[in-house]
């Protein structure tokens, strides 16, 4: 295998890790580490929001902290490398729960995350994100499901006892 082919495999592995890390950081509300995934001048487009990294960080924190549960499930990303730049297309299903009004509402989003990425001085980070929504569903809960024997994903944050940071 050529050095170029090996470098491309390593780059694609790292880019896949960045997508997975993005989902983990959002689900666990780990805002302090979001800057490790994106370059500072990254641009974002969610339709209802467009802006730079600083604006996005505020937007996403306000949005996600309104949910008591969050789960971003990414499909295997399709990655296209062009030198030191990349395009990443990752389908995603997101399930979020609000507790108000009780017993809660579950929102499910089916969409695509279209990332751009750049390698600078040997380090890959995401440089842009456009979210494309395919389908949205909202279901009002009939009862509170937290009385069962399972550990539920309520209150995920860096302070949660199950959090496994960097």
């Amino acid at each position: 295998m050529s050095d170029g082919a090996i470098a491309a495999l390593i780059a694609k592995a790292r880019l896949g890790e960045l997508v997975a890390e993005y989902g983990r950081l959002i689900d666990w509300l780990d805002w302090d580490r979001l800057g490790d995934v994106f370059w500072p001048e990254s641009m974002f487009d969610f339709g209802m929001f467009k802006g730079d990294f600083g604006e996005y960080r505020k937007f996403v924190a306000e949005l996600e902290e309104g949910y008591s549960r969050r789960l971003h499930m990414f499909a295997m990303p399709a990655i296209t490398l062009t030198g030191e730049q990349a395009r990443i297309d990752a389908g995603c299903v997101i399930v979020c729960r609000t507790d108000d009004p009780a017993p809660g509402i579950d929102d499910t989003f089916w969409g695509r995350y279209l990332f751009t990425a750049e390698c600078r001085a040997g380090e890959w980070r995401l440089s842009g994100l456009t979210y494309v929504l395919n389908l949205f569903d909202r279901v009002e809960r009939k009862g509170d499901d937290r009385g069962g024997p399972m550990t539920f994903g309520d209150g995920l944050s860096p302070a949660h006892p199950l959090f496994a940071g960097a």
Side-chain angles (χ1 to χ4, degrees), residues 97-124:
R97 164 141 334 148
T98 57
D99 287 331
D100 189 26
I105 297 173
D106 290 338
D107 290 333
T108 305
F109 307 84
W110 291 264
R112 308 198 80 71
Y113 279 78
L114 305 175
F115 296 100
T116 55
E118 295 178 12
C119 184
R120 301 178 189 171
E123 179 183 3
W124 282 99

Side-chain angles (χ1 to χ4, degrees), residues 31-122:
W31 309 128
D32 291 340
R33 296 204 41 245
L34 203 54
D36 296 341
V37 173
F38 289 97
W39 292 113
E41 63 282 349
S42 296
M43 295 302 294
F44 299 82
D45 182 353
F46 279 71
M48 77 258 198
F49 166 83
K50 293 179 184 181
D52 65 17
F53 179 75
E55 295 165 320
Y56 171 72
R57 190 168 185 243
K58 182 177 188 255
F59 161 78
V60 75
E62 289 175 2
L63 179 71
E64 298 294 343
E65 289 173 6
Y67 293 111
S68 59
R69 292 184 193 167
R70 295 155 302 286
L71 178 61
H72 290 68
M73 297 176 286
F74 283 98
M76 180 78 84
I79 301 169
T80 304
L81 291 174
T82 308
E84 300 290 294
Q85 297 186 342
R87 293 183 49 95
I88 306 163
D89 182 335
C92 185
V93 177
I94 306 165
V95 181
C96 299
R97 164 141 334 148
T98 57
D99 287 331
D100 189 26
I105 297 173
D106 290 338
D107 290 333
T108 305
F109 307 84
W110 291 264
R112 308 198 80 71
Y113 279 78
L114 305 175
F115 296 100
T116 55
E118 295 178 12
C119 184
R120 301 178 189 171

Side-chain angles (χ1 to χ4, degrees), residues 1-50:
M1 188 177 278
S2 71
D3 289 347
I6 293 171
L9 287 172
I10 292 169
K12 286 184 176 188
R14 179 62 187 134
L15 292 165
E17 288 173 348
L18 286 171
V19 171
E21 184 68 1
Y22 170 76
R24 187 175 82 85
L25 295 174
I26 296 299
D27 287 346
W28 288 89
L29 308 176
D30 192 359
W31 309 128
D32 291 340
R33 296 204 41 245
L34 203 54
D36 296 341
V37 173
F38 289 97
W39 292 113
E41 63 282 349
S42 296
M43 295 302 294
F44 299 82
D45 182 353
F46 279 71
M48 77 258 198
F49 166 83
K50 293 179 184 181

